[in-house]
Amino acid sequence: MLDIAVVDYGTGNLRSVAKALLHVAPERTIMVSSDPATIRSAKRVVLPGQSAMPDCMRALDQSGLRDVVMEVARDRPFLGICLGLQMLFDNSEEGPTSGLGVLPGDVVRFRDERMHDSAGHRLKVPHMGWSRVAQKEDHPLWRGVEDHTRFYFAHSYYPVPDDPGLTAASVEYPAAFTCAIASANIFAVQFHPEKSHSAGLQLLANFVTWDGRV
Amino acid sequence: MGLAKRIIPCLDVAAGRVVKGVNFINLRDAGDPVEVARRYDSQGADELAFLDIRASVETRGLLYEMIGAVADQVFIPLTVGGGVSHVDDIRALLNAGADKVSINTAGVNNPALIEQAAARYGAQCIVAAIDAKAISPGRWEVYTHGGRTATGRDAVLWAREAVKLGAGEILLTSMDRDGARSGFDLGLTRAVADAVDVPVIASGGVGGLQHLVDGIVIGGADAVLAASIFHYGEFTVRQAKDAMSAAGIEVRD
């Protein structure tokens, strides 16, 4: 029985996600797959994503994986990473592009070309590097991850959920934005756990044992 | 509680091996990229940069294998550059495990490459690497082919153009300072950092920890890249972070 399927719809760096999962759970069967039946057979599913939203959505449709992603996002532990988070929402300003509409809300770009932090330092876009993640709720995926731990980000767009209650964590850049979403069996993050050193590996280890309940 | 300024050790590689200047004590094999990457990772490096200094078709496969081997065991971002001339090179590097790909000569000669790459893979993974040399006070010229070819292009204007084409980060190297250990060209760093909205990595000239601090505080860089001060065991990344932190710069613990 397949423990974890990493959805391969033909974009981005899937290897790092799969290898990080394997690193924290060497005893599990983990497959990078573009086969709907294989993905459907997995106990847990990871939807990664790296490139640009229009390309990701196009690739998802061309690979014929939209339906199975929608299906498994309803009924089993599901982890979205970066674009894999953004695609779950209704719309993205990037393109603009329609998303999967699994989660109500939009994905928007950092507003100002000239943003500053409270000390007056200029903030660049993409938001690139290690920022402190403020946890907004207790969740099994935060187990063993200290509040305000730094995770690695590399993005120009971020989600704005219609329901603020879905926000599992936020980060300031310079205003607070949602960087993690928790909705029943779905957990999704804007940062890259597979590139976030020990904290990221801890989150992935938590996902591997998560039963999909809060 | 903002974004940490990054420290990026840079490794020169050839045929899948780390070349020149890594002499960590207790490494079984200082040329093994996985071992070197692990060492920097354990010291708190925020990211690693790999430059294929003898990029050739014959050894390209070895680079991909090397990146894969590092990415499988070191879970921090990896930027890879050297000889990237086609969108297929970028795809191959990303598939091998690179998180960002830096484009230098090919981007200057064919700016459409940056545009295509950013459109396909996203701005966040396309780094425009710029090698610049001072030509008069406040003016710098872009060089390509590892600093051998003058292009007549203004470095600040080219940085702006590269960002407009879609580059999500600038890796800025001063050819005057590279290897000189006298500190970054802070005028160049500041001019480019002020000119673009994307993060700028300062490179070339680090000889001591204060140079890293200056690159951030005076140069306005978002990240600092260094090679020799780390490779020869002079300073650890941890010591560099302590120095930056003592200077009031926010770093990742």
Side-chain angles (χ1 to χ4, degrees):
Chain A
M1 169 126 190
L2 183 59
D3 286 310
I4 305 169
V6 178
V7 182
D8 176 10
Y9 49 95
T11 77
N13 171 2
L14 306 171
R15 180 188 176 119
S16 296
V17 174
K19 292 293 180 174
L21 287 163
L22 196 64
H23 187 82
V24 298
E27 76 288 1
R28 306 276 174 150
T29 49
I30 298 161
M31 272 182 80
V32 174
S33 177
S34 55
D35 171 45
T38 303
I39 294 167
R40 203 171 278 121
S41 76
K43 282 190 239 171
R44 296 180 174 73
V45 173
V46 179
L47 183 65
Q50 235 195 6
S51 61
M53 181 83 169
D55 279 338
C56 277
M57 287 306 300
R58 200 177 308 127
L60 190 66
D61 280 332
Q62 280 170 359
S63 61
L65 295 174
R66 176 192 281 254
D67 290 346
V68 68
V69 168
M70 298 284 286
E71 185 188 320
V72 297
R74 270 195 298 271
D75 68 359
R76 67 198 76 186
F78 185 96
L79 178 64
I81 298 174
C82 194
L83 260 296
L85 170 152
Q86 296 183 5
M87 286 194 290
L88 297 175
F89 283 88
D90 292 323
N91 294 292
S92 171
E93 282 183 358
E94 189 174 18
T97 319
S98 293
L100 295 170
V102 172
L103 300 171
D106 295 319
V107 174
V108 302
R109 195 172 197 280
F110 286 107
R111 287 293 166 209
D112 300 310
E113 291 306 317
R114 299 242 158 194
M115 304 190 299
H116 293 84
D117 65 14
S118 55
H121 298 127
R122 188 151 156 225
L123 299 176
K124 303 296 190 83
V125 178
H127 170 221
M128 178 98 71
W130 301 78
S131 281
R132 290 189 186 278
V133 168
Q135 298 170 17
K136 295 296 170 194
E137 62 174 82
D138 256 349
H139 192 283
L141 266 70
W142 293 134
R143 217 170 281 149
V145 178
E146 233 178 282
D147 198 9
H148 301 294
T149 296
R150 289 185 192 274
F151 284 85
Y152 179 77
F153 289 81
H155 66 119
S156 302
Y157 295 81
Y158 62 91
V160 181
D162 286 350
D163 175 5
L166 295 186
T167 297
S170 67
V171 62
E172 290 178 5
Y173 198 75
F177 70 86
T178 296
C179 68
I181 294 280
S183 173
N185 61 303
I186 296 175
F187 198 85
V189 291
Q190 181 57 64
F191 51 80
H192 288 273
E194 77 281 13
K195 289 289 163 181
S196 293
H197 206 258
S198 46
L201 295 177
Q202 179 65 49
L203 188 144
L204 293 176
N206 292 341
F207 175 70
V208 168
T209 55
W210 183 37
D211 62 5
R213 284 176 217 169
V214 181
Chain B
M1 288 229 306
L3 180 64
K5 300 296 181 184
R6 289 168 282 153
I7 297 185
I8 307 173
C10 179
L11 300 162
D12 285 352
V13 300
R17 307 282 295 167
V18 174
V19 293
K20 107 180 165 188
V22 173
N23 72 342
F24 288 128
I25 299 159
N26 295 332
L27 283 192
R28 282 185 310 264
D29 173 4
D32 176 1
V34 176
E35 215 171 334
V36 175
R38 270 213 190 111
R39 181 61 59 99
Y40 283 130
D41 174 54
S42 70
Q43 292 179 3
D46 297 304
E47 214 171 295
L48 293 173
F50 294 92
L51 182 66
D52 189 358
I53 58 168
R54 254 175 267 142
S56 68
V57 180
E58 297 78 49
T59 61
R60 211 58 180 168
L62 296 171
L63 176 71
Y64 300 147
E65 278 174 36
M66 184 210 89
I67 296 302
V70 173
D72 289 355
Q73 303 197 46
V74 178
F75 301 100
I76 57 174
L78 310 177
T79 299
V80 186
V84 174
S85 57
H86 194 271
V87 172
D88 290 342
D89 299 331
I90 297 165
R91 188 183 53 216
L93 285 169
L94 294 174
N95 284 341
D99 299 285
K100 299 188 260 186
V101 173
S102 70
I103 304 174
N104 194 327
T105 301
V108 176
N109 292 342
N110 173 24
L113 175 65
I114 296 176
E115 198 170 19
Q116 288 165 11
R120 192 162 317 167
Y121 301 110
Q124 80 292 332
C125 69
I126 304 302
V127 181
I130 301 177
D131 294 341
K133 224 177 229 185
I135 45 172
S136 60
R139 289 213 51 211
W140 297 268
E141 182 178 358
V142 177
Y143 276 67
T144 57
H145 299 89
R148 293 189 301 276
T149 310
T151 65
R153 272 173 177 269
D154 179 82
V156 176
L157 294 180
W158 168 236
R160 271 207 198 116
E161 194 185 331
V163 170
K164 206 184 277 174
L165 290 165
E169 195 167 37
I170 302 284
L171 168 51
L172 180 65
T173 303
S174 161
M175 301 306 300
D176 304 302
R177 300 300 179 93
D178 207 23
R181 299 176 59 86
S182 57
F184 296 119
D185 182 334
L186 296 172
L188 168 68
T189 308
R190 174 52 79 177
V192 173
D194 282 350
V196 297
D197 291 314
V198 304
V200 172
I201 304 167
S203 157
V206 175
L209 300 183
Q210 185 60 36
H211 293 152
L212 300 173
V213 171
D214 291 345
I216 304 278
V217 175
I218 303 173
D222 301 278
V224 284
L225 181 141
S228 63
I229 61 160
F230 299 134
H231 295 338
Y232 296 107
E234 233 172 306
F235 298 104
T236 63
V237 176
R238 180 60 53 199
Q239 287 172 312
K241 285 193 159 178
D242 289 345
M244 284 168 65
S245 186
I249 298 168
E250 198 169 336
V251 294
R252 171 178 155 254
D253 297 330

